[in-house]
Amino acid sequence: MTAEPTSARSATRYDADTLASLAADAAAIKARYPDPRSGLLPMLHLVQSVDGYVSRDGILFCAEQLGMTPAEVSAVATFYTQYKRHPNGTYTVGVCTNTLCAVMGGDAIFDELSEHLGVGHDETTDDGAITLERVECNAACDYAPVVMVNWEFFDNQTPESATDLADRLRAGEQVAPTRGASSVCGFKQMSRVLAGFTDGRADEGVGAGEPTLAGLRLARASAAVDGGEPSGGPAASPEGSSAASSAEVPPETGTAQSSAERKPTTEDDVEPKGGSDD
């Protein structure tokens, strides 16, 4: 019996060509995992790369492909902030306002961009170019304050440099991140990359910058002073040396900092109080 075409079974409103393309990409995603349901996160990025957000049709498509209910897919799509539930701009401009970036000026950058663009958190400019959002942490504290455009780094920003960046994006100019790829791509293209489909730009641009490398050098120097590996890499100490032997000693339980051998110190430790039936 000939299998029914996917388009005939789908409750989505994708046209036949789009549905066929999505189904082929979904098959590649599912093939990566022993349990195909594990492919939900990249598959949500996949449908976002087509619609520009996780649409109703995108949720139905993921549910059909993975044997899940739309409610189960929606529960995941509404949990993670990288999945947008309404149309997103061409560029997501995320301003880190977590502790260090905030202290270094992140809040001032966000406030300036919000006033300059006329939008608030998770809102999109009228021309559809920029969606502005607060980001809890961009994992780049050594470059604070940091702004990201479609998750590409723009380090050591100021309110003035951030508004200039936004103006260039709205004007359609190419902008180069501080680190990473040589240019910023659109939100849909980045969503496809996050789905696991390479765009061939992984080796472009600058990798780790000087502040990160300085921290690495300090960590290695400290390890060398404490008997660990020197900055050149793995220790080349002769077999049987104190550095080599100390690295081979497994950690012990029951020491001063371990709870494995802790003795009860209160009545609650011995017999925890719980609710009674009285």
Side-chain angles (χ1 to χ4, degrees):
M1 180 177 176
T2 303
E4 188 179 20
T6 304
S7 58
R9 300 195 307 272
S10 178
T12 68
R13 294 170 293 192
Y14 293 120
D15 62 68
D17 290 342
T18 301
L19 189 58
S21 177
L22 278 171
D25 288 337
I29 290 173
K30 289 187 289 185
R32 301 173 193 160
Y33 303 95
D35 183 349
R37 288 165 64 103
S38 299
L40 177 56
L41 297 184
M43 203 172 291
L44 284 167
H45 284 298
L46 174 66
V47 296
Q48 192 162 252
S49 75
V50 172
D51 293 327
Y53 68 110
V54 178
S55 65
R56 166 197 174 275
D57 291 320
I59 287 174
L60 291 175
F61 176 81
C62 292
E64 292 169 355
Q65 288 290 318
L66 299 175
M68 302 172 69
T69 67
E72 290 173 323
V73 176
S74 294
V76 175
T78 55
F79 183 82
Y80 295 103
T81 58
Q82 280 189 317
Y83 302 126
K84 308 303 180 183
R85 293 310 316 278
H86 49 79
N88 201 77
T90 304
Y91 302 101
T92 296
V93 174
V95 182
C96 183
T97 55
N98 212 335
T99 307
L100 184 56
C101 278
V103 169
M104 298 294 288
D107 285 329
I109 290 173
F110 182 88
D111 291 343
E112 181 70 20
L113 277 175
S114 180
E115 181 177 352
H116 184 71
L117 297 173
V119 294
H121 169 69
D122 199 29
E123 295 179 352
T124 303
T125 55
D126 291 339
D127 58 5
I130 291 177
T131 296
L132 180 65
E133 65 178 18
R134 290 181 179 270
V135 179
E136 277 301 303
C137 182
N138 282 326
C141 301
D142 41 356
Y143 297 94
V146 176
V147 172
M148 296 193 89
V149 178
N150 290 345
W151 301 290
E152 300 286 4
F153 289 106
F154 289 81
D155 302 322
N156 304 121
Q157 292 294 294
T158 65
E160 293 74 24
S161 66
T163 53
D164 178 66
L165 172 62
D167 288 342
R168 293 178 63 196
L169 291 170
R170 297 182 81 180
E173 295 182 28
Q174 285 280 1
V175 297
T178 311
R179 294 170 287 130
S182 299
S183 61
V184 172
C185 65
F187 178 77
K188 290 183 178 181
Q189 182 180 343
M190 180 54 69
S191 294
R192 183 169 177 81
V193 173
L194 292 173
F197 298 95
T198 181
D199 62 356
R201 306 191 311 145
D203 296 324
E204 286 184 2
V206 178
E210 179 55 30
T212 303
L213 295 175
L216 178 61
R217 285 194 294 270
L218 288 170
R220 284 177 170 171
S222 176
V225 169
D226 294 337
E229 295 180 358
S231 59
S237 55
E239 189 174 348
S241 70
S242 60
S245 59
S246 64
E248 296 170 0
V249 177
E252 297 181 7
T253 60
T255 57
Q257 298 301 314
S258 171
S259 62
E261 302 294 335
R262 188 174 65 85
K263 305 300 182 185
T265 57
T266 68
E267 290 183 6
D268 283 353
D269 285 333
V270 179
E271 188 175 350
K273 293 182 173 62
S276 67
D277 297 329
D278 295 341

